[in-house]
Structure formats: structure tokens, C-alpha cells
Amino acid sequence: MAVTETATMLSEAVGESIPPDTAHAVSVSLPTWKANVGYEEGEDWVLSKMKTGYPRFFVHKQIQTFADAIVSKYGAPSIENAFLFPSHAIALRCRDFFRRQTPSPNGNELVKIVDFYPKNSLSNSEVHVEPCINPILSAVIFPRENFKIAKVFWQHTGDGVSSRRAEYCHKAFRDGQLVTQRPLFAKWDSAKLSSSCKGPMRYRKKDSVDLSSGNSTQPTNGTESKDYVQFVEERFGRNLDVSQAANAKLAIRRRIAGALTANLDVEEALEASHHPSRNRQVCGFSEHDVYLYPCGMSAIFNAHRKMMAIRGEKKSISFGFPYIDTLKILEKWGPGCLFYGHGSTSDLEDLERRCEEGEKYLALFCEFPGNPLLKTPDLRQIRVLADRYDFAVIVDETIGNFINVHVLPYADIVVSSLTKVFTGECNVMGGSAVLNPQGRYYDELRKFIDTDYEDTYWHEDAIFMERNSRDFVTRIARINRNAEAICDTLHQSRIVKEIYYPKYSSTRLNYDACRNPEGGYGGLLSVTFHTTAQAVTFFDKLETAKGPSLGTNFTLSSPYVILAHYGELEWAAQFGIEADLVRISVGLEDAVELTAKVERALKSAAETES
């Protein structure tokens, strides 16, 4: 994204997508403090204007429309709803979740699964279609009164269909190209529908989706039509057929693995040799240890699920104040978790005492650094305890990101939300899980993954992700500098109570222990003020895009605690999470312009009466 384009992200319209007029946007405009509270209170003046919302919290309209169409044909629209998933196995897990949440004898019978297969994969097809390029989708239809149960599964696991998959499959559904009977041709292997694409694959041209023709699913509004028809042509010089999805996925995995740093075409990227300064510095590590997921939360959920599969159901540990859904996963799946909300040295001492007394744990989950206080856990000591007392370590490095920090030597699994700074464009979802080949559970994990892993990352999403992430490395350096410039500006204001940023945290030494030689401190920071009125005015006057998410190429601000913990503000406060906190995800804008915007907002806030 050109720096000059970031100005177009500023929208005063409640409910407008961020980026504006983008059918598959990941954020939504909530431009005032009042609008954020109104959203949480369910006020109609906000909800009625929502064109979209943050995925997993807001059911995208493409997904909802398709789900409604399926219920109309295969269910009872007056009394049933549906959620859509990319595989039968995930649908089964959803139904199992229903069983555990509604233990009535016939409760599970009221939940049904309808599987959809591509019609042109039937035995009489004249054209062989590679299974992993065709849409496959399972609808879980359930009684309307159980909507909240289904929503919990859909939101926390992150395993629902993406809006692009829903758009494509809905058109196929309308055109009669999706059928509910399993294809019958002799060589059909249903497992291959979701199998991992480990390397480049070639597909017949006529089997692929032509993005530049009328045969593809056209977007519904705004700039997404350019995204679909002219995106690659105008920005990168030539079109890329969806049949290249496997190549795009391999390029993403190599980029995560540290092999790719240059802005290369996909063919060049696949042929590029490993960059000596960007490898994971773990013996035996390669792109084959990188697994892609539909979103970051799916990577976290499946990491937890896989650890339980190979080690049995034990309690996990949530160390440090986590993103809300991570804690919910650990609490709702398995026997629960031990929660250390402060993530302090004394918490580690308490954990060691419990382990010495014989308590056994499955895994410790932490963020590096945490959100929204940007505190960094002591991974070195955590690794010592994990080795001594036999539990796994799963680190979410989304906020630190691959370029700034190197946490793999201390982790068994490193997870990340690629939706954030890896893509930057705020128009596609994705997640990853990276295995440490030197980890004590590596062999067991690989053996289980070989039979369990489903590549449910939708092909069009992968192509957008690969394109967007080509300049990932160069973007990070600029974002790091911009974030520090904003922190310097905030430090000069008398109304600022506290700035939360890894560089200025009491836990900086923990961050520096894993910081790459050329790495910075990231693009996320939080700030609090001496009065609520000052916080509200600062946020309202700050001239940035305002909505959920982080890691965008443009600066994006939110009253994070209001959005993430509105129903549990007192609970969050006991861990130092103030309700009036303003979180700023810093983008690529000119540093002088950015700091000037912050100064103007500070000036307005300083004039506010408490």
C-alpha cells in the first residue's frame, strides 16, 4: 500500500468497512467512544449501520446469506439457523460441542450436518478435478434457541468458513454446482479434500477459477471488484490464477520460515534460496514445519486440540493477560486452565511450587508481548520450567512478529495471526502454527498432524495473503520507527498517565532476550490518561481510522478494553487493564504527520475538564 493511500482509511461513518467499500474487510469503523459503547450495548443506531464487523465476532453478510439459503432448502427457516464450516470433521466437532453444552437425551438429534461436494467431481465428469482446489463445505443446522452455543464454537475456534469461500460456494450453490451426495468415482479420496499442500501442484487450467472472467464470483461492492478483477493486474503486473493457490501457500510458508525477504513474484519466490539472516536458527527447521490455518485463533485452537490428542486432557496454563478467545478455548475445551493474569515473576514462582507439589499440566500458552499492556513473559525461565516439569510451551508472536523477535527456540509451537501485520492490507484472514523440530513433543506432533491436519485455508484467501505479504519485511522497519515516534510524543504530555510499549516496559529485558539483531519493538502501543474525559476526547479527536484489529498498514485506534472486555471490566481491572485505555496500532504514514495528529488530539484532551 502506498503511504498516500492510508489517508483514505479515515472514515467518520459508523459501520463503514475498513478499508472503505471493501467486501472482505477485516475491520469496521467505530469512530467515537460513544459508538464503541453503543456497539457493546447493542444500540440500534450503531448495529443498524454495520456493513461488516470483525470476523468471528460478526457473521459476515456473505456467510449469513449463504447459511440462510441452505436452511431454506434443507432446514426449517422459522425455527432453525446454520453455521458454515470448511470440512465435515470441523462440523462434527461443532456437533460434539453442542452435545457437551446441551446434555439433554435428544439434544444432539436436533443438530444436523449437511455436507456439500462439487458436482463436477462425480464419476461421470469428463474433466479430472483436483480435490483440494474444489469448494467443500459443511453446514451445521440447529434450533434457533441454541444460536449462542453455536456462536461460541464458531467464534472461539476460528474454524468457520471465510467470507470469500462463502461467496464462491454460494454462487456454486445457486448454479447447482454443489451437491449433497458424496462423489463416487473410484479414485476419490475424501481426505485429500483438506489435505496439506506440501509443495507446488499443477492444476488443469479449465478446472481453476478464472478471476478475470464472468465465470468467477463477482464481489458485491466497492474496491473489492478491483481486488478480484484487476488487483494483480494493476498492482503486480499480471494475473494469478486460483490454480496457483498451492504455490501461494508454499510461498507464505517459506516467508514465515524466514526463507523469503524480497518482494518477489510467486515463481521467483518458490525458487529463492534461504536468506542467511532470516532463518529460524533452529536445527532441522524448514517450511515443512509451518502449517496454515484460516485465522490465528484457529491456529491456537488446533494447537491446543493437538496437544490434548497426544498428551491426554490435562489442565493448561494461560500466562499473562491474553486475548479473550485464547483464555476461553483453554477454559471450555479440556479440563480447564490455571490463569496467571499478571504474567509476573511471582506467578512463575507459584507455578514452580505447584509443579513441585506434583501438579501436571498440558501446556503453557502466552503472548509475546501481551495485549493490551505489551508486557513480555520470561520465555527463558518458562522453558526451564517446561523442560523440568514436562509441559509444552505455545507462544503467540502476533504482536512481536517474525521479523522483530525470535521465540521458536523457547517454544514447542509458535502461533500467529497472519490477518494482522503479515498481510497489513486488512482484507484477508489467515493464521499459522510453527513446530520446533527440537521440541520434546515434535515427533508425536508430526505423527498426529500427518493424519489429522486439514488444509482448510481457502485458495483465494491464500493468494491475497501471499500478494499482500511480499513487502512484509520492509513494512516492519517503518512501523517500528513510527511507533517509537508516537511514544516520544506521548511521553511529552502532562495528561498521559501511562504508555504501554515493549521498549518502555519493566519487562523489556524479556523482550530483548528474543529480539532479533535488527528487530524493533513493534507497532502496537496503549496509552492511559488521568481522567476518563481526557481519554474520550483524545480518542474522538485522534485523526486515524478507528475500529477493531491491529497490524494494518494504516494507523488504527480503538478503546480496546471497551470492545474486548465490556461485560467484564471489573475482572480486567484487577490485572491492571483500565477501561479507559486507548490502543493504537501504528501504520506506514509519514512520521511527522502521525505525530502531528497525536499532538492535536493531546491538545484537545488537555483542554477537557475532568
Side-chain angles (χ1 to χ4, degrees):
M1 171 183 290
V3 176
T4 54
E5 293 178 13
T6 59
T8 65
M9 301 304 164
L10 182 61
S11 174
E12 295 298 325
V14 172
E16 176 60 71
S17 66
I18 301 177
D21 300 316
T22 301
H24 302 287
V26 173
S27 190
V28 62
S29 179
L30 295 170
T32 64
W33 199 281
K34 182 179 179 181
N36 282 270
V37 173
Y39 171 77
E40 291 297 326
E41 292 282 356
E43 295 178 8
D44 184 68
W45 71 274
V46 177
L47 298 186
S48 63
K49 298 176 183 177
M50 299 282 286
K51 293 183 179 180
T52 189
Y54 187 73
R56 294 189 306 98
F57 289 85
F58 181 94
V59 182
H60 193 282
K61 292 182 179 180
Q62 290 279 4
I63 299 173
Q64 189 60 62
T65 300
F66 187 19
D68 290 344
I70 289 173
V71 173
S72 293
K73 186 171 182 178
Y74 297 99
S78 62
I79 60 172
E80 290 182 318
N81 276 339
F83 272 106
L84 310 182
F85 300 98
S87 79
H88 183 76
I90 296 173
L92 286 175
R93 288 198 286 272
C94 180
R95 190 173 67 178
D96 180 66
F97 184 74
F98 263 101
R99 182 186 297 117
R100 289 187 286 112
Q101 298 298 312
T102 55
S104 59
N106 61 346
N108 196 51
E109 297 176 3
L110 300 177
V111 179
K112 56 187 176 183
I113 297 173
V114 181
D115 294 325
F116 294 91
Y117 303 91
K119 186 176 181 180
N120 60 357
S121 288
L122 295 176
S123 57
N124 61 358
S125 173
E126 296 180 358
V127 179
H128 175 64
V129 179
E130 290 285 351
C132 82
I133 202 64
N134 280 277
I136 183 68
L137 178 140
S138 295
V140 176
I141 301 176
F142 54 88
R144 279 184 180 272
E145 61 264 28
N146 295 137
F147 178 83
K148 288 185 177 180
I149 295 174
K151 176 78 179 317
V152 164
F153 180 89
W154 180 79
Q155 175 182 322
H156 294 335
T157 68
D159 274 341
V161 299
S162 74
S163 54
R164 283 189 179 88
R165 182 191 286 258
E167 183 180 52
Y168 179 83
C169 290
H170 192 187
K171 182 180 186 301
F173 179 81
R174 290 194 303 266
D175 293 346
Q177 295 303 308
L178 288 186
V179 295
T180 56
Q181 62 267 43
R182 183 182 297 274
L184 300 175
F185 64 89
K187 293 184 178 180
W188 180 264
D189 182 355
S190 62
K192 290 183 180 179
L193 281 165
S194 300
S195 64
S196 172
C197 296
K198 295 294 185 181
M201 294 181 66
R202 294 181 180 180
Y203 303 101
R204 297 178 185 269
K205 185 175 180 63
K206 66 188 300 182
D207 297 340
S208 63
V209 181
D210 183 0
L211 296 183
S212 61
S213 75
N215 295 329
S216 65
T217 304
Q218 295 301 317
T220 55
N221 61 357
T223 59
E224 282 290 290
S225 61
K226 177 183 289 187
D227 279 349
Y228 268 78
V229 181
Q230 298 172 318
F231 174 81
V232 181
E233 184 77 27
E234 292 186 0
R235 293 195 54 193
F236 301 102
R238 69 176 186 80
N239 207 341
L240 177 65
D241 197 273
V242 171
S243 65
Q244 293 295 308
N247 285 349
K249 291 180 182 182
L250 180 57
I252 292 168
R253 289 165 49 222
R254 285 189 175 176
R255 193 161 291 137
I256 293 169
L260 305 180
T261 58
N263 189 339
L264 304 175
D265 197 323
V266 69
E267 285 81 6
E268 296 173 299
L270 293 172
E271 296 174 0
S273 61
H274 286 221
H275 192 294
S277 66
R278 294 293 184 191
N279 59 67
R280 289 278 175 163
Q281 300 172 4
V282 173
C283 182
F285 177 77
S286 74
E287 68 264 20
H288 298 297
D289 296 313
V290 180
Y291 297 86
L292 300 182
Y293 291 91
C295 65
M297 197 50 56
S298 175
I300 293 172
F301 172 76
N302 281 286
H304 178 57
R305 187 176 66 82
K306 287 173 173 56
M307 289 307 305
M308 286 195 298
I310 68 170
R311 301 200 66 226
E313 293 198 357
K314 301 181 180 70
K315 276 190 176 183
S316 286
I317 304 156
S318 178
F319 192 81
F321 196 83
Y323 183 63
I324 180 172
D325 287 313
T326 301
L327 182 59
K328 300 301 183 185
I329 285 171
L330 302 183
E331 290 176 338
K332 294 178 182 293
W333 281 268
C337 79
L338 177 62
F339 177 48
Y340 289 114
H342 294 286
S344 63
T345 299
S346 60
D347 286 340
L348 280 180
E349 292 171 351
D350 182 76
L351 174 59
E352 183 174 14
R353 177 187 60 80
R354 289 172 178 269
C355 291
E356 278 292 321
E357 292 175 353
E359 295 186 21
K360 301 294 184 181
Y361 297 98
L362 177 73
L364 182 147
F365 288 73
C366 64
E367 298 174 6
F368 195 97
N371 180 19
L373 299 187
L374 288 303
K375 293 167 66 176
T376 306
D378 185 350
L379 282 188
R380 292 169 297 180
Q381 183 59 23
I382 288 172
R383 184 71 261 168
V384 169
L385 295 180
D387 289 340
R388 183 182 303 163
Y389 299 110
D390 190 23
F391 59 80
V393 178
I394 290 89
V395 181
D396 182 346
E397 69 169 359
T398 300
I399 296 172
N401 78 63
F402 308 120
I403 302 305
N404 287 327
V405 297
H406 178 48
V407 300
L408 186 60
Y410 304 102
D412 294 282
I413 305 175
V414 174
V415 295
S416 188
S417 173
L418 306 181
T419 309
K420 309 304 192 298
V421 73
F422 187 78
T423 174
E425 294 281 4
C426 202
N427 65 0
V428 64
M429 302 279 285
S432 66
V434 177
L435 303 187
N436 181 350
Q438 298 301 308
R440 69 194 304 169
Y441 312 109
Y442 178 77
D443 290 339
E444 291 178 88
L445 280 169
R446 281 299 297 263
K447 183 178 179 181
F448 180 75
I449 288 172
D450 284 345
T451 59
D452 176 79
Y453 175 71
E454 295 183 293
D455 180 4
T456 59
Y457 194 33
W458 180 239
H459 315 294
E460 290 171 282
D461 292 329
I463 288 173
F464 274 78
M465 181 65 71
E466 191 280 322
R467 291 288 182 179
N468 292 350
S469 62
R470 289 184 182 180
D471 61 350
F472 171 55
V473 176
T474 55
R475 284 189 283 111
I476 296 302
R478 181 166 187 151
I479 288 171
N480 289 339
R481 293 193 297 270
N482 282 354
E484 292 201 28
I486 289 179
C487 285
D488 291 342
T489 301
L490 292 170
H491 270 127
Q492 298 171 21
S493 175
R494 63 178 176 80
I495 67 171
V496 170
K497 179 180 177 182
E498 190 71 51
I499 299 169
Y500 299 97
Y501 189 63
K503 185 176 181 178
Y504 306 113
S505 172
S506 60
T507 62
R508 175 177 173 173
L509 289 178
N510 296 335
Y511 187 97
D512 285 345
C514 298
R515 185 161 63 95
N516 286 319
E518 299 176 2
Y521 294 93
L524 192 70
L525 62 97
S526 299
V527 58
T528 56
F529 299 86
H530 291 290
T531 69
T532 298
Q534 290 170 344
V536 171
T537 301
F538 174 81
F539 177 77
D540 287 351
K541 296 296 184 180
L542 189 59
E543 302 163 57
T544 68
K546 296 170 185 174
S549 197
L550 58 92
T552 49
N553 290 341
F554 49 89
T555 299
L556 183 65
S557 308
S558 74
Y560 174 77
V561 185
I562 295 296
L563 278 180
H565 301 286
Y566 190 74
E568 51 188 17
L569 294 177
E570 291 185 4
W571 171 81
Q574 65 183 304
F575 301 106
I577 315 294
E578 298 184 23
D580 299 339
L581 177 146
V582 177
R583 193 186 73 176
I584 304 174
S585 175
V586 183
L588 295 171
E589 298 93 335
D590 178 78
V592 174
E593 293 180 6
L594 266 180
T595 54
K597 292 177 179 180
V598 173
E599 288 172 350
R600 288 193 292 270
L602 286 170
K603 182 179 179 181
S604 296
E607 297 170 353
T608 302
E609 295 183 4
S610 58

